[in-house]
Amino acid sequence: MTDPRDWLAQDPDPDTRAELEALLAAGDSAALADRFGARLEFGTAGLRGELGAGPNRMNRVTVLRAAAGLAARLRAEPPRGGVVIGYDARHKSERFALDTAAVLAGAGLRARVLPRPLPTPVLAFCVRHLDAAAGVMVTASHNPPRDNGYKVYWGDGAQIVPPLDAEISAAIDAVGRVDELPLGDAWETLGDDVVEAYLDAVTALPLGDARDVAVAYTPLHGVGRDVLLRAFERAGFPAPFVVAEQADPDPDFPTVAFPNPEEPGALDLAVDLARARGADLVIANDPDADRCAVAVPDGPGWRTLTGDEVGGLLAEHVLRATSGADRLLVTTIVSSTLVSALAREHGVRFAPSLTGFKWIVRSGTGRLVLGYEEALGYCLGGDDGPPVHDKDGVGAALAVAALAAAARRAGRTLLDLLDDQARRHGLHATAPLSVRVADRALITAAVDRLRAAPPDALAGRAVTRVDDLTAGADGLPPTDGVRLFLDGGARVVVRPSGTEPKLKCYLEVVLPVGHAPVADVRARARADLDALKTALAAALGL
């Protein structure tokens, strides 16, 4: 266990110093053990955790150490355009970004900081645009307000993967006291020209020429609003109606329980605004604007589309707007299998990937025109591939608006397009089952039980095959998880979340439509998914 007093002696932050001094004075051994009995692990997701004092929290000492480890690893790289650093509007984000710049400058590396809080995809774009050796984004994405994080990108503009993460982690472990690190002040603050370059790139995506669409938009108190509004204007779309209560960046996210557009209730204010203004669709970004959620009118109410439904629609959109047999569609092994059917139909390439865009953008061979994951992340490309080698909630919002405008011009809706796909390929219906726990050990135990003794059947469907993903599957690297195939084209994947204390399960059923009304088939699919959820929860024992 790290000595709290040694930590206190090198901590430059008065807030966490005061927190730690109070805990020491109170003799709160449980709180001290929680902060100092473990440390945040640096991995392929970088760092992410609760703000506070100690090595098991996000704070200035943790960030200074991470920056010093990154600097040490970068000194082994050929000289390039330095490191680009971005940050969102969360608590301490700007401070962590500037600390990173100071450490890199002190190590003799060129550090360039984005001009203000900006979306994560802007940072990812800038790494390649500026020919940087690496990038750092200070963000916790859609995590609760008390969290922050630290994502590292390499020179290809994508998040790091093994073994690079382990190499940086080892370099972090070798860092001594942070109050002895050489710090510099010769970093560069970039201008708005980098944002302009990003806007030029995303508005050059395949967007067609239909523009008549009314959008209600929420950035969920994050940093997406200004960039998205500029992108819509530049692409020729009408200005979206913005949810006033969620328009400005606010690190406390006061109007939502979790600032995640996947969470129930997160889109309620946007749907209310859409009803009031007669909008055609709702678009939401998460706080760092790398994800995009969509809701559409459905009879008297509104329906939030799943990430898989949006992914299927965007796949057909880009395939109809591009050409060439070298085109590539990529989605993860936990996402819908519909995209592989669309690739076969259009005569283009398809590749599966592990979860996470660090894998999606590196999977398969060919020209990536769409990479997506069911968790509302989309990466679109045109003739030259994707301008952002990561998920991009702004580019995805433009493409969804273009698709909705084209459907509207033809007298149709996004729901009509989904029905078309179901008639051609069968209804691919997916649903998540997530279990949030206080003790991560419960997650490990549940997955181990499933791996060791999988059920013979779930919800009346026989289990026909079990894949232990730690052994690798589909030619992919090993990952922690279990995949079950069931009779009738159903599938279940169970894995621990890489960023939150959650067990995440992904369910899919595929039902033929034939001449039946698609609405009736959807109702049967919902019932099947509900039954699978119940059976799986029982099998997991959580």
Side-chain angles (χ1 to χ4, degrees):
M1 177 171 165
T2 303
D3 184 347
R5 297 190 183 279
D6 181 62
W7 186 277
L8 185 64
Q10 58 183 305
D11 188 353
D13 191 328
D15 294 336
T16 45
R17 286 178 57 84
E19 173 192 339
L20 185 50
E21 287 168 346
L23 293 175
L24 288 168
D28 192 337
S29 58
L32 290 169
D34 182 41
R35 288 161 174 78
F36 288 87
R39 68 179 179 87
L40 296 180
E41 296 291 336
F42 185 93
T44 55
L47 293 165
R48 191 177 297 187
E50 186 176 348
L51 291 163
N56 201 30
R57 295 288 189 272
M58 283 296 299
N59 51 62
R60 292 184 67 186
V61 176
T62 297
V63 166
L64 289 163
R65 288 175 54 82
L70 175 62
R73 176 59 183 79
L74 279 168
R75 282 197 290 267
E77 291 292 304
R80 292 178 67 178
V83 181
V84 188
I85 304 161
Y87 58 98
D88 66 9
R90 283 180 176 266
H91 293 295
K92 304 284 185 181
S93 284
E94 183 177 12
R95 181 67 266 167
F96 293 166
L98 296 182
D99 281 344
T100 298
V103 170
L104 294 171
L109 298 170
R110 184 180 184 186
R112 295 188 277 183
V113 183
L114 294 186
R116 57 187 173 279
L118 285 165
T120 292
V122 176
L123 180 280
F125 167 81
C126 283
V127 173
R128 295 173 64 233
H129 175 65
L130 297 174
D131 192 30
V136 171
M137 183 68 194
V138 181
T139 180
S141 189
H142 56 277
N143 275 37
R146 63 181 181 273
D147 291 358
N148 213 326
Y150 197 85
K151 296 170 71 170
V152 177
Y153 294 76
W154 218 236
D156 59 356
Q159 296 177 53
I160 58 171
V161 294
L164 189 53
D165 58 338
E167 294 168 2
I168 296 173
S169 183
I172 293 170
D173 290 343
V175 175
R177 292 174 61 97
V178 300
D179 55 350
E180 296 175 354
L181 289 172
L183 303 180
D185 58 6
W187 66 78
E188 176 186 354
T189 300
L190 295 166
D192 197 60
D193 57 307
V194 294
V195 182
E196 290 290 315
Y198 166 80
L199 291 169
D200 286 343
V202 295
T203 54
L205 289 168
L207 300 176
D209 59 2
R211 294 292 183 268
D212 185 11
V213 64
V215 174
Y217 169 71
T218 175
L220 288 181
H221 302 292
V223 297
R225 178 194 61 193
D226 293 348
V227 173
L228 182 135
L229 292 180
R230 289 170 66 182
F232 268 61
E233 180 182 17
R234 183 165 303 193
F237 289 103
F241 309 117
V242 180
V243 176
E245 301 94 326
Q246 299 172 332
D248 294 326
D250 187 331
D252 294 317
F253 309 109
T255 66
V256 289
F258 287 95
N260 182 349
E262 292 181 285
E263 293 286 338
L267 302 188
D268 285 356
L269 290 176
V271 168
D272 289 345
L273 177 63
R275 284 197 185 100
R277 303 302 293 267
D280 300 303
L281 75 160
V282 164
I283 290 176
N285 288 138
D286 65 339
D288 69 328
D290 63 352
R291 299 179 190 231
C292 177
V294 179
V296 296
D298 186 13
W302 281 71
R303 174 178 154 198
T304 301
L305 302 185
T306 69
D308 284 318
E309 288 174 327
V310 175
L313 291 174
L314 290 179
E316 286 217 89
H317 167 75
V318 296
L319 289 176
R320 287 174 175 157
T322 58
S323 61
D326 64 330
R327 290 172 295 169
L328 172 68
L329 300 178
V330 177
T331 193
T332 67
I333 58 173
V334 303
S335 301
S336 172
T337 56
L338 172 64
V339 169
S340 61
L342 294 173
R344 288 192 298 273
E345 179 187 22
H346 288 265
V348 302
R349 302 174 186 181
F350 169 78
S353 85
L354 297 181
T355 57
F357 271 79
K358 58 185 176 285
W359 299 114
I360 289 172
V361 299
R362 295 184 171 101
S363 294
T365 58
R367 174 167 45 99
L368 183 64
V369 292
L370 179 72
Y372 98 88
E373 61 183 4
E374 51 73 44
L376 310 184
Y378 314 95
C379 169
L380 287 101
D383 291 337
D384 298 321
V388 177
H389 285 189
D390 198 11
K391 53 185 176 290
D392 180 1
V394 177
L398 288 170
V400 169
L403 182 58
R408 189 175 192 272
R409 186 163 65 183
R412 313 196 75 217
T413 69
L414 297 186
L415 296 182
D416 293 329
L417 301 185
L418 289 171
D419 287 352
D420 290 347
Q421 290 182 334
R423 292 187 187 97
R424 297 200 320 273
H425 298 290
L427 178 66
H428 291 63
T430 59
L433 172 65
S434 294
V435 182
R436 187 180 289 271
V437 299
D439 183 359
R440 284 183 181 268
L442 296 174
I443 295 175
T444 301
V447 176
D448 287 346
R449 280 195 304 273
L450 186 65
R451 184 180 288 119
D456 294 326
L458 287 172
R461 294 172 180 261
V463 175
T464 59
R465 187 175 115 200
V466 180
D467 290 343
D468 178 359
L469 300 180
T470 59
D474 301 327
L476 298 172
T479 188
D480 190 8
V482 178
R483 180 170 58 182
L484 310 177
F485 291 93
L486 294 83
D487 272 344
R491 185 208 62 190
V492 171
V493 184
V494 178
R495 59 177 283 271
S497 170
T499 57
E500 299 176 87
K502 275 184 179 180
L503 182 65
K504 304 189 77 171
C505 311
Y506 310 83
L507 294 74
E508 181 178 34
V509 297
V510 183
L511 301 181
V513 174
H515 298 293
V518 178
D520 292 349
V521 181
R522 288 192 189 282
R524 293 208 313 271
R526 284 194 296 271
D528 286 355
L529 289 169
D530 287 343
L532 276 177
K533 283 184 183 181
T534 301
L536 181 60
L540 291 169
L542 291 175

